[in-house]
């Protein structure tokens, strides 16, 4: 057990909420699991420090408060512009290097039982001129969890993601449907769930919508069968 790589079919799909839920669930089982967000754009400055919001959400969900050295391993690349990683890196003149991310990941994996790594956007998001997030997923070699929307449009996006991961030889742990907005729970959503399962990649569960979700309450989300399947 060394964790999961959480990707999604888009930005804002529910990756961080899923990561927070998993951290809370696994830590509740006595597993020393920690979060990693290798690249964060849209960071804020708080008390002179550059703060990565997704990492802080996950740390609060996991009830962890590591020191600055460990926080920098958990999020080695932090940028202020709220845009694609390669663009933020270009604006700030600090290019993203996959070997540096791998070093930070190895250090965390040595210190802890497992690491939950959250990507940025979807799998073909560029990190620099040559590499995309998929190159990082290939190197990290963690089983991939795909966060996906329940409604219209999810089939195409999820199939494209699975095809690319398959072509790259990445192991997939499963699909998790995340209701990041009020769900319709209609015939389309019911059929989507069945049709997604036709990919051969299991649909592990569905994180249900709860308005005003906070890191402290993410563990209380109705997770369908996720706890049993993970
Ligand atoms: N189950 C849920 N109930 C209520 N709100 C949710 C739920 N899941 C996600 N959200 C909301 O949807 C929005 C997007 O979720 P989240 O930040 O997890 O997406 P993401 O894929 O991590 O985005 P990014 O690509 O920016 O990292 C957030 O405002 C979050 O609070
Ligand atoms: Mg996120």
């Amino acid at each position: 057990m060394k964790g999961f790589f959480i990707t999604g079919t888009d930005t804002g799909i529910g990756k961080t909420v899923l990561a927070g839920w998993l951290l809370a669930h696994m830590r509740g089982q006595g597993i020393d699991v920690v979060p990693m967000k290798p690249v964060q754009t849209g960071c804020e400055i708080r008390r002179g420090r550059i703060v990565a919001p997704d990492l802080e959400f996950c740390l609060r969900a996991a009830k962890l408060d590591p020191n600055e050295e460990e926080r920098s391993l958990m999020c080695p690349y932090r940028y202020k512009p709220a845009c694609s990683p390669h663009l933020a890196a270009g604006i700030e003149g600090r290019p993203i290097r996959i070997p540096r991310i791998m070093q930070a990941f190895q250090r965390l994996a040595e210190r802890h039982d497992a690491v939950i790594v959250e990507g940025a956007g979807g799998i073909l998001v560029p990190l620099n001129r040559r590499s995309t997030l998929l190159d990082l997923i290939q190197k990290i070699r963690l089983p991939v969890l795909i966060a996906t929307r329940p409604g219209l449009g999810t089939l195409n996006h999820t199939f494209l993601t699975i095809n690319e991961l398959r072509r790259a030889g990445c192991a997939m742990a499963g699909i998790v449907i995340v209701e990041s907005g009020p769900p319709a729970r209609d015939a389309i959503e019911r059929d989507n769930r069945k049709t997604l399962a036709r990919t051969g990649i299991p649909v592990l569960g569905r994180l249900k919508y709860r308005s005003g979700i906070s890191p402290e309450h993410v563990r209380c989300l109705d997770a369908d069968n996720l706890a049993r399947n993970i």
Side-chain angles (χ1 to χ4, degrees):
M1 156 62 78
K2 272 293 162 199
F4 295 101
F5 195 109
I6 299 185
T7 190
T9 52
D10 201 353
T11 185
I13 214 83
K15 297 183 296 293
T16 304
V17 169
L18 173 58
W21 183 89
L22 263 178
L23 283 153
H25 172 72
M26 290 169 73
R27 291 192 72 84
Q29 295 185 320
I31 300 167
D32 172 19
V33 58
V34 294
M36 181 178 191
K37 174 85 181 181
V39 182
Q40 174 87 67
T41 62
C43 288
E44 301 151 22
I45 304 290
R46 281 190 225 148
R47 288 189 228 110
R49 281 175 39 219
I50 181 151
V51 173
D54 289 5
L55 178 64
E56 295 306 317
F57 183 101
C58 285
L59 289 173
R60 279 170 62 188
K63 296 188 179 152
L64 289 169
D65 187 14
N67 61 25
E68 275 309 309
E69 185 261 347
E70 182 126 313
R71 269 186 164 82
S72 70
L73 294 178
M74 291 171 170
C75 188
Y77 287 106
R78 303 171 193 206
Y79 301 99
K80 275 192 275 175
C83 57
S84 162
H86 78 287
L87 181 57
I91 292 168
E92 294 200 359
R94 287 185 292 121
I96 297 167
R97 289 179 49 249
I98 289 181
R100 183 172 161 208
I101 296 174
M102 289 306 298
Q103 267 178 6
F105 170 74
Q106 303 295 359
R107 296 281 288 280
L108 292 173
E110 281 159 21
R111 291 180 191 178
H112 302 280
D113 296 341
V115 187
I116 303 284
V117 184
E118 181 190 337
I123 56 169
L124 291 186
V125 161
L127 295 178
N128 52 43
R129 287 222 181 132
R130 279 193 315 275
S131 308
T132 64
L133 205 81
L134 186 57
D135 296 297
L136 175 63
I137 297 175
Q138 271 183 311
K139 291 210 169 59
I140 280 193
R141 298 175 69 85
L142 287 173
V144 178
L145 281 172
I146 303 164
T148 196
R149 279 183 294 121
L152 204 59
T154 201
L155 296 179
N156 180 49
H157 289 153
T158 312
F159 295 159
L160 285 169
T161 301
I162 289 171
N163 280 0
E164 277 304 299
L165 286 164
R166 275 205 174 113
R167 276 204 320 184
C170 300
M172 284 170 266
I175 298 165
V176 180
I177 297 166
V178 185
E179 294 178 350
S180 61
R185 301 209 181 120
D186 56 7
I188 294 175
E189 294 195 359
R190 282 192 294 279
D191 181 73
N192 279 346
R193 187 173 177 146
K194 280 191 221 140
T195 309
L196 287 174
R198 275 199 230 143
T199 56
I201 307 299
V203 179
L204 300 175
R206 179 167 49 131
L207 274 187
K208 294 194 181 162
Y209 178 73
R210 181 171 157 155
S211 109
I213 184 77
S214 72
E216 285 72 23
H217 293 112
V218 77
R219 68 183 63 221
C220 307
L221 277 182
D222 184 340
D224 193 12
N225 291 319
L226 191 55
R228 206 179 55 211
N229 289 336
I230 207 77

